[in-house]
Amino acid sequence: MSNVAEVYDKYDQEGRIWGEVPRERVKALDFPRVSEEVRQGYLGLKDLSTGVADCLDKYGICGAIANSHLPNLIPGKRIAGTAITLRNIPERKTTTQGGFDKDPIRMSSRECHYVAEPGDVLCVDFGGNVEASNMGGQSCLVGKTQGLSGAIVYGAVRDVNTIRDLDFPVWCKGGTPKTGKYRMEAMEVNGPVTIHDIVVHPGDFIVADDSGICAIPPHLVETILAEAQANEASEAQGRDLIVSKAPLAELKPHFRARYK
């Protein structure tokens, strides 16, 4: 991982620093991404998060979240990409007082969007708080134009209709009309975050679909892809046996072999 200060200055010169988050709160910028071939391999899995969750269980990793906790705003969407992270906290002042004092806006998902790479997934931690929006339609437009795959938000978003019209995949706890301005502060970019009950580090590989969300440690990304593809092929064979009404003596060994 490169020196953050050097990369920050480079991105600033390239016009990629929004500037609302103090630079000392940006903890990482340059970390490895998986190849597009691997990313597309994950997207080729029929039951994406399901297959990955089974493999995470095998390696003893708590990395899966049920869709019921963070449903997707656009059913049918599926994403895969490297995590970039943002941690927000609530403001102590009232919203009225913040506006009266002309405080600066201290939230910024845009900060992450502009330092992201195409295919990345923004993972936002607001502690599950749904009283204010972490991002809205304009922010999601920035994310889409920058090539992000989508966003995972442990909190709420707003402009839900606009986000759907943009066709930008978002998994979140729900919607709210309330802006995050004067209600939240961005405390850290690209540090570890908690999304529901799992820890996500920048550089983790995120997959999400209608079943849920998974975070894969970088060193296991290619291994888990190969195993998930093999398991999916085995599942297809199992379906063929079921449809053909194969005898249980043939079906049972095939089913049990995967769990040995």
Side-chain angles (χ1 to χ4, degrees):
M1 193 172 291
S2 302
N3 182 282
V4 177
E6 291 178 1
V7 179
Y8 188 100
D9 289 339
K10 175 177 177 288
Y11 283 11
D12 197 15
Q13 292 169 8
E14 294 172 351
R16 296 178 62 181
I17 299 297
W18 187 260
E20 287 176 349
V21 177
R23 63 184 294 163
E24 64 271 13
R25 296 185 183 181
V26 179
K27 301 302 180 183
L29 286 172
D30 184 20
F31 40 83
R33 267 76 173 182
V34 305
S35 69
E36 184 61 16
E37 180 183 2
V38 169
R39 197 173 78 86
Q40 290 301 324
Y42 273 97
L43 291 173
L45 294 171
K46 181 177 179 61
D47 289 306
L48 178 55
S49 66
T50 305
V52 171
D54 285 351
C55 295
L56 291 173
D57 281 347
K58 173 183 173 181
Y59 288 100
I61 295 170
C62 180
I65 304 170
N67 191 66
S68 53
H69 295 300
L70 290 174
N72 42 344
L73 288 183
I74 311 175
K77 285 295 181 183
R78 58 215 320 270
I79 60 173
T82 300
I84 55 172
T85 64
L86 172 64
R87 180 170 62 87
N88 293 323
I89 65 168
E91 286 275 16
R92 178 170 285 179
K93 280 186 185 180
T94 65
T95 309
T96 304
Q97 189 64 49
F100 181 81
D101 292 342
K102 296 183 172 54
D103 287 346
I105 297 170
R106 295 190 175 97
M107 59 177 294
S108 186
S109 53
R110 291 178 179 85
E111 198 79 61
C112 297
H113 290 148
Y114 282 111
V115 299
E117 299 296 334
D120 285 354
V121 177
L122 175 58
C123 297
V124 183
D125 175 10
F126 192 40
N129 186 327
V130 295
E131 294 305 316
S133 168
N134 291 266
M135 63 175 65
Q138 288 290 84
S139 179
C140 288
L141 177 60
V142 175
K144 182 167 185 174
T145 58
Q146 291 299 109
L148 272 75
S149 293
I152 312 294
V153 181
Y154 188 38
V157 301
R158 70 177 193 159
D159 305 331
V160 171
N161 289 338
T162 297
I163 293 171
R164 287 176 174 151
D165 287 344
L166 286 170
D167 201 32
F168 186 72
V170 175
W171 283 251
C172 62
K173 285 188 69 67
T176 176
K178 297 180 188 176
T179 176
K181 298 176 181 68
Y182 308 133
R183 289 189 172 99
M184 69 175 63
E185 179 176 0
M187 290 303 295
E188 191 168 73
V189 172
N190 284 337
V193 295
T194 302
I195 306 294
H196 186 56
D197 62 350
I198 71 170
V199 175
V200 175
H201 294 268
D204 283 353
F205 194 74
I206 304 297
V207 302
D209 61 9
D210 284 336
S211 293
I213 303 157
C214 294
I216 309 168
H219 70 283
L220 287 174
V221 171
E222 294 191 16
T223 299
I224 284 181
L225 174 58
E227 292 183 1
Q229 289 172 330
N231 289 342
E232 194 166 89
S234 177
E235 291 278 344
Q237 292 173 3
R239 284 194 295 272
D240 289 342
L241 291 172
I242 292 168
V243 170
S244 67
K245 295 186 178 180
L248 294 184
E250 185 178 353
L251 188 58
K252 281 183 178 181
H254 178 87
F255 175 78
R256 289 173 176 165
R258 181 174 162 189
Y259 296 96
K260 286 183 179 178

